[in-house]
Each structure stands twice: as structure tokens, then as C-alpha cells.
Amino acid sequence: MNISEAARRSGLSAKTIRYYEDIDLIAPAARGENGYRQYDSGAVEELHFLARAREVGFDLQECRQLLNLLRDTQRHSRHARELVLEKSQQLQQRIDKLVAMQSVLEDMASRCHGDEGPECAILEDLAGAGEETQ
Amino acid sequence: MNISEAARRSGLSAKTIRYYEDIDLIAPAARGENGYRQYDSGAVEELHFLARAREVGFDLQECRQLLNLLRDTQRHSRHARELVLEKSQQLQQRIDKLVAMQSVLEDMASRCHGDEGPECAILEDLAGAGEETQ
DNA sequence: GCTTGACCTTCCAGTGGCGGGAAGGTTTAC
DNA sequence: GTAAACCTTCCCGCCACTGGAAGGTCAAGC
């Protein structure tokens, strides 16, 4: 099949598939007589694997490691599990940070009248926070 | 004061301050005889405002709007409040997404032995998810 | 045979928000 | 006198793509 069909089946865009080939994340696709890339179901499975791994938060370097594990029949499942748990912790840190940011926003919004007047707790907060001790 | 002192007081890096000037987020700094940028406390306050706004999740375009509100004595605090609440909703969406991703990771990890064997629920999941119906 | 449109190819540029580092000028301290 | 710590501008790199230009290919309809 051509690249757009492989894209449809894998969940990646054709652009992304070419990009992954470009950075040697995947092996160069076979080519037809016309120079078009050709994909079989095995290739699509790898692409789909990558799409899934990206969806759950792995970056391309980590995807590389996961692909190596996928291809390695001598692998230890411990390695995959470690990658997943580490990624989970990273996500937790990002979540914690976003939650903290959001609570600051909600707090500011709650103290702002939000009317037609110029007085604004939000702008005061952003301007002055951390300067009271001086 | 010179740029590194302004950086220290505002919480931004000198690189970032120059960048903000470059993209016209802030007015060009005054220059001393030697060509060095000079900052007064008013300029530092604006930089600090920007640092705070960035910390709570606003992008530079939104920071531009917030700065306009800060400078506008005729502003309506409603505008600032709307920006904050919209940003809060955006953060909520990002949080929801990350939480969903993390729960997938935790689920996969829980079903993986994580031992020295090659059998691995994680890799199976990533490879096969969404294909059972076929 | 001709056109139209949907494919495909490569290559280059841009995104956001900076950070790193080169190459060179200035100031300060010893 | 010199070393270091500043400062300047400029350009490249990061991540993971996306958009678009310029051009080749293919299938369908007339």
C-alpha cells in the first residue's frame, strides 16, 4: 500500500511517517517502480506501535528504545516496565505543576471583580507577587 | 542597572529579556554610553510581571494582552478575568489529557510482569491496541 | 489524447520560547 | 598589565512535526 493508506491505518500522518524514516526511527520503506513508498502490514504495525507510544507520552528517543524492545525476542519485560513507570512519574510531575498553576489562576480569578472597573486583583497579583518582603 | 541585575530581580534570564525586546514584547531598553542596556525599577516591574504571567501558563501572545491591560488605566477587570478563566480551562484540558495518559501507563505497568522474560503486556498493548475488532 | 484531480516525491521554512556559544567590546579588581 | 566578569550582536539548535512549493505519477472520464 502507499503512504496515505499506511497513514490512515496507523494513525500517523504521511508527513510524520516520512519524518520518522528521515530520522532513522523506522527502516526506509521499500519503493515501487514509480518511487512511491510501499508498506506491508508489518510496517503498518510498527507505525501503529509508534502512534500509540506517542499518544501515551513517550518522546521519539523513548520510542526508539521501545521499538528496540519490541523487536528483541531476548528482551526483559522489566525494561519496558521501567520505561513506563518512569514516564508515569514524569507525567505526574507535569500534572502537579499544571494543577499548581491552575490553582493560582483560580485563586486570582476568585479575588477579581471581573467588572467594568480598572481595579483588578489579577493584575495586582501578577505585578506584585513576591515583593511584600521588601 | 545592567541587564544581569534586572534579570536577577525579575526572575528572567538576560537572554530572555533580550528576546522579549527583540519580539517587541517590551519597549527597547535605554542604553548607556557604552551601549549597555539600562533598566530602572519600572522596567524591572514589567519584567517581573511577565515572569509571573509565564509561570502561571500564559504564552507570550497572552502576556502581550495582559501587559496592555496592566498599562491601560481605563481597563475593565472583566477582560483580565476572562483571560485567566480561559487559561484555567486550557490547563484543565491539558491536565485531563495527561491524567488519561498516565492511567493508561499505570494500567499497562500493572499487567506487565516486569521480570527477565520476554513476555510483556506493555509491548503487546502498544502493538495491538484498537485492533481486536478486526 | 487530454484534462482534471488525487496521489506521490524532495526540499525548505516555520512553529514557541528560549539556550548555547562564537566573536568581539567594556569594565573592574587586583 | 591582565584576567575575569560583564556586555553586545548574530546565528544555530532544540522538539516533533506542519505547511507549502515545485514537480512527477496515476486513474477516471470525456
Side-chain angles (χ1 to χ4, degrees):
Chain A
M1 78 195 78
N2 288 344
I3 198 169
S4 65
E5 179 65 11
R8 200 189 56 75
R9 293 199 197 181
S10 66
L12 297 172
S13 72
K15 279 276 192 185
T16 298
I17 295 174
R18 288 193 201 98
Y19 173 66
Y20 285 177
E21 183 179 321
D22 216 48
I23 63 170
D24 292 317
L25 181 59
I26 53 175
R31 299 290 182 126
E33 289 183 3
N34 51 15
Y36 289 12
R37 289 177 180 80
Q38 294 297 320
Y39 298 88
D40 58 20
S41 63
V44 168
E45 274 173 38
E46 254 192 20
L47 294 171
H48 181 66
F49 178 87
L50 289 169
R52 281 282 295 167
R54 292 287 296 127
E55 279 170 18
V56 296
F58 290 105
D59 63 32
L60 292 186
Q61 190 49 51
E62 290 157 346
C63 285
R64 224 177 273 271
Q65 296 182 56
L66 288 168
L67 264 187
N68 285 339
L69 289 175
L70 181 70
R71 292 166 178 154
D72 180 7
T73 56
Q74 303 297 308
R75 70 189 167 229
H76 299 335
S77 66
R78 186 169 47 77
H79 291 159
R81 194 160 190 274
E82 281 167 4
L83 286 174
V84 164
L85 291 178
E86 191 188 339
K87 181 54 59 183
S88 177
Q89 285 178 22
Q90 288 173 18
L91 290 188
Q92 187 60 55
Q93 288 176 17
R94 288 172 58 188
I95 290 166
D96 290 347
K97 204 167 173 180
L98 291 177
V99 166
M101 287 159 58
Q102 197 198 23
S103 81
V104 172
L105 290 176
E106 289 293 325
D107 180 57
M108 290 194 306
S110 75
R111 286 183 292 99
C112 173
H113 297 136
D115 56 19
E116 313 305 307
E119 189 199 327
C120 179
I122 292 165
L123 296 171
E124 285 169 18
D125 264 30
L126 291 177
E131 295 187 22
E132 314 80 25
T133 54
Q134 237 289 348
Chain B
M1 78 194 79
N2 288 344
I3 197 168
S4 65
E5 178 65 12
R8 199 189 59 75
R9 294 199 196 181
S10 66
L12 297 172
S13 72
K15 279 276 193 187
T16 297
I17 295 174
R18 288 192 201 99
Y19 174 66
Y20 286 177
E21 183 179 319
D22 216 46
I23 63 171
D24 292 317
L25 181 58
I26 53 174
R31 299 291 182 126
E33 288 184 4
N34 51 16
Y36 289 13
R37 289 177 181 81
Q38 294 298 321
Y39 298 88
D40 58 20
S41 62
V44 169
E45 274 173 39
E46 254 191 21
L47 293 171
H48 180 66
F49 178 87
L50 288 169
R52 281 281 294 166
R54 293 287 295 128
E55 278 169 18
V56 296
F58 290 104
D59 63 32
L60 293 186
Q61 189 50 51
E62 291 156 345
C63 285
R64 224 178 272 272
Q65 295 182 56
L66 287 168
L67 264 188
N68 285 338
L69 288 176
L70 181 70
R71 293 165 178 156
D72 180 7
T73 56
Q74 302 297 308
R75 70 190 167 228
H76 299 335
S77 67
R78 186 171 46 78
H79 290 159
R81 194 160 190 272
E82 281 166 5
L83 285 173
V84 165
L85 291 178
E86 191 189 338
K87 181 54 59 184
S88 176
Q89 286 177 22
Q90 288 172 19
L91 290 188
Q92 188 60 54
Q93 288 175 16
R94 287 172 59 187
I95 290 166
D96 290 346
K97 204 167 173 181
L98 291 176
V99 166
M101 287 159 58
Q102 197 197 24
S103 80
V104 171
L105 290 175
E106 290 293 326
D107 180 57
M108 291 194 306
S110 75
R111 286 182 292 99
C112 173
H113 297 136
D115 57 19
E116 313 304 308
E119 188 198 328
C120 179
I122 292 165
L123 297 171
E124 285 169 18
D125 264 30
L126 292 177
E131 296 185 23
E132 313 81 24
T133 54
Q134 236 290 345

